[in-house]
Amino acid sequence: SFNSFKTVTPSEWNGKCEEIEEKKKRLVTVMNELKLSKEEMNALKVKCSKRSKKRARLRRQAERRKKQKEEEVVKEQNINIQIDNWQREMQEEVERAQREENLQKQADAVLWGVTQEKTEAQRQVALLSGLLELRQVRVKRLTAAGNPVSQLQIRTFDTVIERLKKMWTKLLDRCQLEEQVLRGMLLEADIKADPVKTHKRLVLQEWETALFGAVGTSDTTTRGDQLEDIRRSWDQFAVPARTVLSSTVPPGWVLPVPASSDDWLSLHKY
């Protein structure tokens, strides 16, 4: 803008002009002393131009190297930030896994305690039921022997037994509920940790429940002939492989062996 220009007085202007003329005279004097020809002057101009270009090139290279160095510093900082973030994420993952493992151990310990309480409650309920049956048998024996037991004693005994059974049954129900909740929590943790393995285990449990009933419901005192009767009832539904609307025999099912003779066939009950 015009505001950037400086106004000078006539005397100052004349002084500047005289200074320029003085420098011009000195330049002419130097040129005369050098006594350069036109060709030499042109060569000198070329050298000066090359020197100027070289300095500009060196300056650009220095600026480019400086910029590259700054970019490398920024890149290194970004890499360090990424490494720090990765290390922090890995540390958090390890801590999370440790917390889940500790929680699962605590849940297993609590489940074990609840299972022990449930087993004890079942034992006490069975024991009280046995005591009640034994008491009834003794009362019948005493009555048959001519020494009847008073109704007050019978009611008192029955009341105490029923009260104890009610207490233990209530504890048993609470333990079963806690066990169900804890098993659900552990199942969710297993599914999250290894869904494929957990799915296979659940499918196997469903097959076992469908074939043999729920866990803990089987009677360990079942005799061999009872198991044979159960298997015989199953075999009644066995049909040839190509029967219409029939289903495949489950894997692992032991197929009945054909009778080797008519005598052996006559012993079959189906």
Side-chain angles (χ1 to χ4, degrees):
S1 62
F2 291 102
N3 295 330
S4 61
F5 292 100
K6 181 180 179 181
T7 304
V8 295
T9 61
S11 59
E12 292 176 345
W13 175 259
N14 293 330
K16 292 292 183 182
C17 290
E18 292 176 357
E19 183 179 351
I20 293 173
E21 288 294 333
E22 181 66 24
K23 290 182 178 180
K24 185 177 179 181
K25 291 179 180 180
R26 290 173 57 188
L27 179 61
V28 171
T29 302
V30 171
M31 294 296 294
N32 292 331
E33 291 178 355
L34 292 175
K35 297 180 180 180
L36 297 175
S37 63
K38 186 176 181 180
E39 291 77 8
E40 292 175 341
M41 182 62 68
N42 292 334
L44 181 60
K45 289 181 179 180
V46 171
K47 289 183 179 180
C48 290
S49 177
K50 290 182 178 179
R51 183 63 179 175
S52 177
K53 291 180 180 180
K54 183 178 180 181
R55 289 180 177 178
R57 185 176 68 256
L58 294 176
R59 185 167 55 252
R60 289 194 300 270
Q61 290 178 354
E63 292 177 354
R64 185 165 54 252
R65 286 194 297 269
K66 181 180 179 181
K67 185 177 180 181
Q68 290 178 353
K69 187 175 181 180
E70 292 176 352
E71 291 177 352
E72 290 177 356
V73 171
V74 174
K75 185 177 180 180
E76 183 178 358
Q77 291 177 351
N78 293 332
I79 293 175
N80 292 332
I81 293 174
Q82 293 178 359
I83 293 175
D84 293 339
N85 293 335
W86 178 81
Q87 290 179 343
R88 183 171 59 255
E89 291 176 357
M90 292 298 297
Q91 182 66 24
E92 292 176 354
E93 182 68 19
V94 171
E95 293 177 354
R96 184 186 62 80
Q98 291 178 350
R99 287 195 300 269
E100 291 181 355
E101 184 179 359
N102 293 333
L103 289 175
Q104 187 165 4
K105 288 181 179 179
Q106 294 176 2
D108 290 337
V110 174
L111 179 60
W112 182 84
V114 172
T115 303
Q116 294 297 318
E117 290 183 2
K118 187 184 76 171
T119 303
E120 179 63 20
Q122 291 175 341
R123 190 180 70 84
Q124 292 294 335
V125 171
L127 178 61
L128 292 172
S129 299
L131 288 176
L132 184 59
E133 293 178 359
L134 180 61
R135 174 69 175 179
Q136 292 174 354
V137 171
R138 288 184 177 180
V139 168
K140 291 180 180 179
R141 288 182 179 179
L142 290 174
T143 302
N147 297 318
V149 181
S150 65
Q151 293 297 322
L152 179 60
Q153 292 179 345
I154 295 176
R155 286 196 300 270
T156 302
F157 182 84
D158 292 344
T159 301
V160 173
I161 293 297
E162 289 299 329
R163 187 179 301 170
L164 291 174
K165 285 183 64 177
K166 184 177 181 180
M167 181 187 67
W168 283 106
T169 302
K170 185 177 181 180
L171 177 61
L172 178 60
D173 294 339
R174 181 177 63 82
C175 291
Q176 289 177 344
L177 180 60
E178 292 180 358
E179 182 183 16
Q180 183 179 1
V181 173
L182 289 172
R183 290 190 183 278
M185 293 172 58
L186 293 176
L187 179 60
E188 291 180 359
D190 291 340
I191 292 176
K192 187 176 181 181
D194 193 345
V196 177
K197 183 178 180 180
T198 305
H199 176 70
K200 292 181 179 179
R201 180 167 57 84
L202 292 177
V203 171
L204 181 60
Q205 289 179 356
E206 291 179 359
W207 269 106
E208 292 178 350
T209 302
L211 294 176
F212 307 107
V215 178
T217 59
S218 60
D219 186 5
T220 56
T221 61
T222 303
R223 295 177 299 174
D225 54 352
Q226 292 177 333
L227 294 176
E228 292 178 2
D229 292 337
I230 294 174
R231 176 55 194 267
R232 189 176 293 109
S233 65
W234 291 351
D235 292 340
Q236 291 179 359
F237 300 97
V239 294
R242 296 184 179 180
T243 303
V244 180
L245 299 179
S246 63
S247 59
T248 305
V249 176
W253 193 289
V254 181
L255 297 176
V257 179
S260 58
S261 63
D262 294 338
D263 294 337
W264 175 247
L265 182 62
S266 63
L267 298 176
H268 290 187
K269 298 182 181 180
Y270 60 90

